[in-house]
Amino acid sequence: MKEYAGKEIFNGIAIGKLKFYAKEQKQIIRKKIEDSHQEYARYEAAKAEAASQLEVLHQKALKQVGEAGAEIFQVHSMMLEDEDYNDSVKNIIDTQQVNAEYAVAVTGDNFSQIFASMDNEYFQARSADVKDVSERLISVLTGNGEKKESIDEPVIILADDLAPSETVQMDKSNLLAFVTRQGSVNSHTAILARTMGIPALVGIQIEEAWDGEIGIVDGYTGKFIVSPSEDVLAEYRAKKTKDDEYKELLTTLRGKETITKTGQKVNLYANIGNVSDLVTVLKNDAAGIGLFRSEFLYLDSEDFPTEEEQFKIYRQVAETMAGKKVIIRTLDIGADKQADYFQLEKEANPALGYRAIRICLTQTDIFKTQLRALYRASAYGNIAIMYPMITSVEEVRKIKEISKAVREELQEIGVPIGKVEEGIMIETPAAAIISDLLAKEVDFFSIGTNDLTQYTLAIDRQNSKLDVFYNPHHEAILRLIQLVIDNAHKAGIWAGICGELGADTTLTETFLKMGVDELSVSPACVLPIRKIIREASLTKKRKKGIIKE
Ligand code: PEP
Ligand code: MG
């Protein structure tokens, strides 16, 4: 038995026969040609054929993995039209008077090396896409047709790397897992594996000699085991049974509406801290993102993240969620979330101190940079913006002034901006108590029960000694939640809960009775809550008052 550690791409356990997937090595021969015009026309014809192959793959992937997963084949089609790429091929054919296959091979190598050498992980991952597109063109030009791996029994595929087109063409019914030596967690093959729900690991130094042996892929821990002992095999069989049961729950609830038996609908969204959390959001079929804690971008950085860095991330989230709502909370730094470069002074009571919107409203350059990135990204999906730690109407009006100025600046230079809902977090008692007034200023409320509990009960949420007193079920909290929901509805706006209490299944029915419109919870909690909501049959919504019954 041998054990290896890799990077997990998608959760799940697979046990089965290992199959080594060897890429066909195509020998490209450099040939002199007579007529470069004719050779370039041959290249153009190959491009057209490659484009139609990609369209077929796109349609196939749409059916198998949906829009987000299928998008890569549109990206490949766009690469075929890339001006720099085509100029390079033409230049090589013209100046060297050589065949199109050779020109494509050289161009493909050059471009993929350029991508691979970039600092940014996203662009590094595009290197494999350039190679894939180039190989496709070469196959068409040489008349070799497309490589299709036939898998006629259930196997765990081992490969150096897998191109997205290879991945999507494999017979899913026999595909237990992927294990690759190369490939990043951001590669499209990884994205496809996740979307297909296939356990996958990257970064394992695979050996061809393992072909035919039994292997175990633990997509939860990144562990890969070759030739397991009987004990380990039995242990993993048991884990797999549990995992299958869990997945069964997922599959029955995925794609289903979050609605009670009596027809009360709830928007069930997920909370995320960074882009990599999107994997579990998709897996758990959240209807949107109800809280993207953007401060994690700042906490992960050595310095203030630039507008461009932020824009790319917000755009990626918006695009991945493909039109579903993505509520991004502006910077909520301070208190327990400290980044040195902010140079925040030590405070006696940091939770009551200089944090979140208070920083944004006093250091407006930081705030404006984030808002510019957010509005720019809004053109790529369904972005909503939410402001934390609000205590007064004046703060909201000030925010609106600043955000309006930012939008106008962008519009003046012709930057497209999507339709952006703007809401606030209700996480201070002050905000809850004046929620009737605040409701007139914004598009939605999202109740942050973590801080709302801390401030209402005067209990430091960071102090573990006080855990026994930290009671979010306290009557005061429940009354405030009811008040906020009622005030939202009176003003015709919606109200949700994005604090941890939203995932407390003992309160799900209570929240339904209160008339909550949205619950945003950690991705793994989405389906269990959907289950409760779908099983609830509340006859009438509680309009007012105390919730304990
Ligand atoms: C909250 O306070 O409930 C909340 C969602 O925000 P955070 O936990 O990030 O403070
Ligand atoms: Mg909070």
Side-chain angles (χ1 to χ4, degrees):
M1 180 171 107
K2 286 183 223 131
E3 219 178 281
Y4 304 86
K7 265 199 231 161
E8 62 273 22
I9 296 295
F10 187 75
N11 292 341
I13 309 275
I15 305 171
K17 196 163 154 189
L18 302 175
K19 181 176 167 77
F20 188 80
Y21 175 85
K23 281 191 195 271
E24 247 175 74
Q25 288 303 328
K26 294 185 193 87
Q27 194 66 35
I28 307 301
I29 300 167
R30 184 178 193 271
K31 283 194 223 152
K32 279 278 176 198
I33 45 115
E34 296 286 309
D35 184 343
S36 59
H37 281 295
Q38 206 180 327
E39 196 58 15
Y40 194 71
R42 203 163 78 78
Y43 171 67
E44 291 277 10
K47 255 175 46 179
E49 169 57 22
S52 71
Q53 286 180 2
L54 285 167
E55 184 47 31
V56 172
L57 283 177
H58 179 237
Q59 292 304 327
K60 185 170 174 185
L62 267 180
K63 283 196 205 111
Q64 284 179 359
V65 293
E67 216 155 296
E71 198 193 290
I72 180 59
F73 299 108
Q74 282 180 317
V75 174
H76 282 197
S77 296
M78 273 153 60
M79 281 182 178
L80 284 174
E81 294 309 325
D82 184 84
E83 219 174 296
D84 294 331
Y85 188 97
N86 287 321
D87 283 353
S88 163
V89 172
K90 188 166 187 322
N91 184 47
I92 293 171
I93 294 175
D94 284 347
T95 56
Q96 301 183 33
Q97 292 285 302
V98 288
N99 54 332
E101 289 85 335
Y102 178 79
V104 171
V106 173
T107 302
D109 278 353
N110 289 344
F111 277 63
S112 70
Q113 270 169 30
I114 294 168
F115 277 115
S117 67
M118 286 180 168
D119 266 352
N120 178 308
E121 267 190 50
Y122 176 83
F123 287 112
Q124 284 171 0
R126 298 293 74 75
S127 165
D129 294 322
V130 176
K131 267 196 209 152
D132 198 11
V133 170
S134 306
E135 279 172 17
R136 176 173 304 284
L137 282 166
I138 291 168
S139 286
V140 175
L141 285 162
T142 53
N144 275 350
E146 284 186 77
K147 181 173 192 265
K148 288 194 184 74
E149 179 68 13
S150 68
I151 309 175
D152 38 26
E153 59 178 335
V155 284
I156 295 170
I157 291 285
L158 307 177
D160 254 356
D161 197 6
L162 283 170
S165 59
E166 290 168 322
T167 315
V168 84
Q169 284 178 49
M170 285 179 187
D171 174 6
K172 303 303 159 302
S173 59
N174 280 326
L175 193 55
L176 301 175
F178 297 120
V179 180
T180 64
R181 192 194 315 257
Q182 294 167 27
S184 75
V185 286
N186 285 319
S187 72
H188 275 103
T189 297
I191 295 167
L192 283 169
R194 282 179 204 126
T195 332
M196 292 190 294
I198 293 174
L201 304 178
V202 295
I204 302 276
Q205 293 301 314
I206 51 161
E207 291 173 22
E208 209 171 331
W210 296 339
D211 190 273
E213 297 201 38
I214 295 296
I216 297 175
V217 172
D218 185 340
Y220 290 99
T221 61
K223 212 187 266 184
F224 177 56
I225 302 168
V226 182
S227 306
S229 66
E230 275 310 315
D231 286 356
V232 170
L233 206 52
E235 181 198 329
Y236 269 94
R237 283 199 180 114
K239 274 192 189 163
K240 184 163 164 41
T241 309
K242 268 202 168 164
D243 192 51
D244 288 346
E245 281 164 11
Y246 172 64
K247 293 229 167 97
E248 194 50 37
L249 171 74
L250 300 192
T251 48
T252 56
L253 292 170
R254 278 183 62 111
K256 296 255 165 77
E257 264 189 304
T258 305
I259 186 167
T260 63
K261 286 201 164 103
T262 38
Q264 188 177 335
K265 278 193 196 165
V266 176
N267 286 328
L268 189 51
Y269 295 162
N271 294 346
I272 63 167
N274 56 49
V275 172
S276 59
D277 295 338
L278 287 175
V279 181
T280 46
V281 173
L282 296 176
K283 184 179 144 209
N284 290 284
D285 193 35
I289 288 173
L291 168 63
F292 178 1
R293 290 179 160 96
S294 70
E295 58 277 9
F296 283 103
L297 303 183
Y298 293 75
L299 294 174
D300 279 349
S301 292
E302 306 269 292
D303 204 344
F304 292 100
T306 63
E307 177 185 323
E308 204 53 32
E309 282 163 350
Q310 293 190 57
F311 162 69
K312 281 187 186 143
I313 288 168
Y314 304 146
R315 174 181 167 170
Q316 194 181 351
V317 177
E319 285 180 339
T320 307
M321 291 307 288
K324 292 182 182 148
K325 173 111 47 222
V326 174
I327 304 177
I328 303 177
R329 171 173 79 184
T330 57
L331 179 64
D332 186 17
I333 211 111
D336 53 318
K337 291 176 264 190
Q338 293 285 342
D340 287 348
Y341 59 86
F342 273 82
Q343 295 184 332
L344 298 177
E345 281 171 27
K346 283 251 171 306
E347 292 173 307
N349 296 299
L352 304 178
Y354 185 56
R355 57 172 291 197
I357 205 68
R358 298 167 187 176
I359 297 180
C360 289
L361 288 177
T362 42
Q363 298 190 55
T364 48
D365 47 340
I366 299 175
F367 193 30
K368 282 185 169 173
T369 301
Q370 181 170 35
L371 288 173
R372 281 175 66 92
L374 285 167
Y375 286 122
R376 282 175 57 199
S378 71
Y380 297 86
N382 185 1
I383 285 184
I385 305 178
M386 164 159 93
Y387 303 97
M389 279 295 290
I390 299 299
T391 58
S392 71
V393 171
E394 292 68 36
E395 279 164 354
V396 176
R397 294 206 175 128
K398 184 80 195 138
I399 290 167
K400 282 161 78 173
E401 244 174 60
I402 297 172
S403 64
K404 184 164 173 270
V406 169
R407 281 195 305 274
E408 283 170 0
E409 273 168 35
L410 289 171
Q411 275 152 353
E412 259 167 43
I413 54 167
V415 174
I417 298 176
K419 196 178 166 310
V420 180
E421 267 194 287
E422 310 239 357
I424 53 172
M425 291 199 60
I426 303 288
E427 52 184 346
T428 65
I433 293 164
I434 60 161
S435 50
D436 55 335
L437 305 177
L438 293 169
K440 295 184 186 130
E441 303 286 334
V442 295
D443 299 321
F444 66 91
F445 287 154
S446 187
I447 305 172
T449 51
N450 309 337
D451 278 319
L452 188 62
T453 305
Q454 146 162 284
Y455 297 128
T456 306
L457 304 185
I459 288 175
D460 178 357
R461 69 191 256 200
Q462 294 301 112
N463 187 340
S464 58
K465 265 196 244 151
L466 300 177
D467 279 353
V468 283
F469 299 104
Y470 185 93
N471 172 22
H473 288 218
H474 193 294
E475 191 70 21
I477 308 299
L478 299 177
R479 286 192 198 190
L480 287 177
I481 294 174
Q482 180 72 81
L483 176 71
V484 171
I485 294 172
D486 286 344
N487 280 333
H489 290 176
K490 274 186 214 149
I493 65 167
W494 63 265
I497 299 175
C498 65
E500 293 305 300
L501 199 64
D504 184 334
T505 50
T506 65
L507 286 177
T508 308
E509 286 216 4
T510 303
F511 293 143
L512 288 169
K513 286 180 192 158
M514 288 179 170
V516 78
D517 303 289
E518 178 240 27
L519 290 172
S520 190
V521 298
S522 65
C525 297
V526 167
L527 291 170
I529 291 178
R530 179 173 295 164
K531 188 167 185 286
I532 293 178
I533 294 178
R534 286 178 64 82
E535 286 163 3
S537 48
L538 307 168
T539 43
K540 63 174 178 358
K541 193 183 93 179
R542 287 278 312 234
K543 282 263 160 33
K544 231 184 186 175
I546 306 167
I547 327 301
K548 279 184 199 149
E549 290 188 329

